[in-house]
Amino acid sequence: MHELGVTENIVNIALTKAGEAQANKVVRINLVVGELSGFVPDCIQFYFDALSKDTIAQGAALHFESVPAELRCRDCSTIFQPQDTLWACPKCVGRSVEIFKGRELYIESLEVE
Amino acid sequence: MKKIEVIQNILEANDTIANRNRQLLDKHRIFVINIMSAPGAGKTSLILETLTRLKGKLSIAVIEGDVASTVDAEKVESVATAVVQINTGKMPESCSLMAVMIELALKDMPLNDIDLILIENVGNLICPAEFALGEHKRVVISSLPEGDDKPIKYPLIFVDADAVIINKMDLLPHVDFDIAAFRRSITGLNPKVEVFQLSCKTGEGVERWCSWMLEQVKTNVAKR
């Protein structure tokens, strides 16, 4: 639902970095999106097509690397990927967990020419 | 073809403005609470109760975030030091307040006369979790009719909360809401969270919430 502002930022960052590199065209943008981040790649793609129109990023391929959720049990320190929404530790069945991975939302790199 | 390493957080633009808001607020010694919940959980009711009970003790302003309308701002207008209504419907994003909206709202507020700003975020348990506004504390309200499974369905907003309010406690005899299970879920995600059980309708438990907030303001930004 909030992908428009996020996509504006993606376009801005890509254009700035491509400009600094004196590139003529942005060919590909590599994004890292955590499973828990609440951002939907299809929505970002939709807005990207509109926002990048008539810029050197128009037509760039967006590549999304999804980072699966990983949790850390506060009781026994086990790091695990939750299999369901209960987020219980598979080792000690504890429910006291912290998010270890899965909230990422960043641009990893650009490919330009 | 050339590859450029970037590694830049996409939310950085929002976070930068949020930090700027925080500096401005700290300079004016204003404490800010970001109140988030699903629609209808009782954000406006809690704000009204808080304003009424803390009248004379703190000078409180309110920033109302809604997709449309000014009904909430009208309700709190008579009891607040200042009210700014933000309608997100015409903005690029309508599902959450963002730092830039708060930055604009602060320009319209008498900052020297305010101790505490209560921000009523847009009713939504997903998007507001992602956007820092410059607040000092994040409060999430869950009300009994919503069910006790919300921390399981929408964990992020509870992970980052400083306090969780269980509202509409007066409905407990009429709904299937397992308070113990709900509390276990939120403290599992967030062991340091403060939990308040209250009813804005009967007033039960509201005093403890107000005392907590008063204490927060006093210890963090004592002005007088």
Side-chain angles (χ1 to χ4, degrees):
Chain A
M1 277 188 280
H2 45 237
E3 279 79 1
L4 178 55
V6 161
T7 312
E8 277 175 349
N9 291 343
I10 294 171
V11 173
N12 288 340
I13 295 168
L15 292 178
T16 306
K17 295 287 176 185
E20 285 168 12
Q22 296 179 332
N24 296 315
K25 187 162 175 51
V26 179
V27 179
R28 183 175 157 115
I29 303 175
N30 295 308
L31 300 149
V32 178
V33 183
E35 190 191 332
L36 300 173
S37 78
F39 295 98
V40 181
D42 283 351
C43 284
I44 295 178
Q45 181 74 59
F46 175 80
Y47 288 127
F48 182 81
D49 295 342
L51 292 168
S52 62
K53 202 167 176 290
D54 300 327
T55 72
I56 61 165
Q58 182 173 350
L62 296 187
H63 179 261
F64 296 92
E65 184 194 333
S66 173
V67 181
E70 279 186 30
L71 308 175
R72 177 160 41 203
C73 175
R74 287 196 179 92
D75 297 323
C76 72
S77 303
T78 300
I79 291 171
F80 62 100
Q81 291 188 0
Q83 300 302 313
D84 53 34
T85 53
L86 273 184
W87 287 16
C89 172
K91 199 171 163 199
C92 74
V93 209
R95 293 271 309 276
S96 184
V97 296
E98 61 188 335
I99 297 172
F100 184 59
K101 276 188 189 160
R103 295 195 72 170
E104 298 78 359
L105 182 68
Y106 63 91
I107 299 185
E108 190 260 333
S109 62
L110 297 179
E111 288 164 41
V112 299
E113 55 189 29
Chain B
M1 182 94 78
K2 189 171 139 193
K3 191 164 180 173
I4 308 171
E5 293 297 323
V6 181
I7 316 285
Q8 186 167 347
N9 183 348
I10 296 164
L11 294 177
E12 197 177 271
N14 183 73
D15 292 345
T16 303
I17 302 172
N19 289 336
R20 210 154 67 206
N21 290 345
R22 180 66 175 267
Q23 281 169 14
L24 178 70
L25 294 162
D26 286 342
K27 190 178 133 209
H28 289 274
R29 305 174 77 80
I30 298 171
F31 196 70
V32 177
I33 298 183
N34 179 7
I35 303 175
M36 299 173 284
S37 80
K43 292 183 295 301
T44 311
S45 302
L46 183 78
I47 288 171
L48 276 170
E49 277 291 316
T50 308
L51 287 169
T52 311
R53 286 172 191 248
L54 294 181
K55 205 175 166 106
K57 292 180 183 155
L58 289 175
S59 168
I60 307 176
V62 178
I63 297 176
E64 289 286 349
D66 285 292
V67 174
S69 87
T70 55
V71 289
D72 284 352
E74 285 159 21
K75 281 185 202 160
V76 300
E77 203 163 29
S78 62
V79 260
T81 301
V83 186
V84 175
Q85 173 80 53
I86 298 173
N87 284 139
T88 57
K90 291 195 179 107
M91 300 188 184
E93 308 286 345
S94 57
C95 54
S96 170
L97 288 175
M98 296 193 184
V100 67
M101 304 175 191
I102 301 303
E103 185 175 50
L104 291 172
L106 292 175
K107 290 191 202 309
D108 285 336
M109 304 179 99
L111 298 184
N112 289 327
D113 303 332
I114 296 169
D115 302 313
L116 170 68
I117 297 177
L118 301 175
I119 299 177
E120 178 174 345
N121 216 315
V122 179
N124 180 336
L125 288 176
I126 306 168
C127 314
E130 304 281 357
F131 298 97
L133 304 178
E135 73 275 52
H136 297 86
K137 296 281 176 196
R138 293 181 167 206
V139 174
V140 176
I141 308 176
S142 270
S143 65
L144 296 196
E146 293 167 48
D148 52 39
D149 57 358
K150 292 300 160 290
I152 296 170
K153 289 186 171 171
Y154 307 96
L156 283 193
I157 203 157
F158 292 95
V159 165
D160 294 335
D162 296 290
V164 170
I165 291 174
I166 309 174
N167 189 24
K168 308 191 189 178
M169 282 299 292
D170 52 299
L171 294 179
L172 192 56
H174 311 289
V175 293
D176 294 324
F177 189 104
D178 185 337
I179 300 270
F182 179 87
R183 292 183 76 119
R184 261 199 312 277
S185 297
I186 48 174
T187 49
L189 295 168
N190 184 347
K192 288 184 188 149
V193 72
E194 289 275 348
V195 183
F196 299 89
Q197 294 177 204
L198 55 83
S199 163
C200 290
K201 190 166 179 83
T202 64
E204 169 205 349
V206 179
E207 203 56 51
R208 192 182 147 239
W209 152 254
C210 287
S211 309
W212 178 80
M213 206 163 35
L214 200 56
E215 194 57 36
Q216 294 296 318
V217 178
K218 280 188 176 156
T219 49
N220 288 290
V221 283
K223 204 179 241 179
R224 311 193 167 95

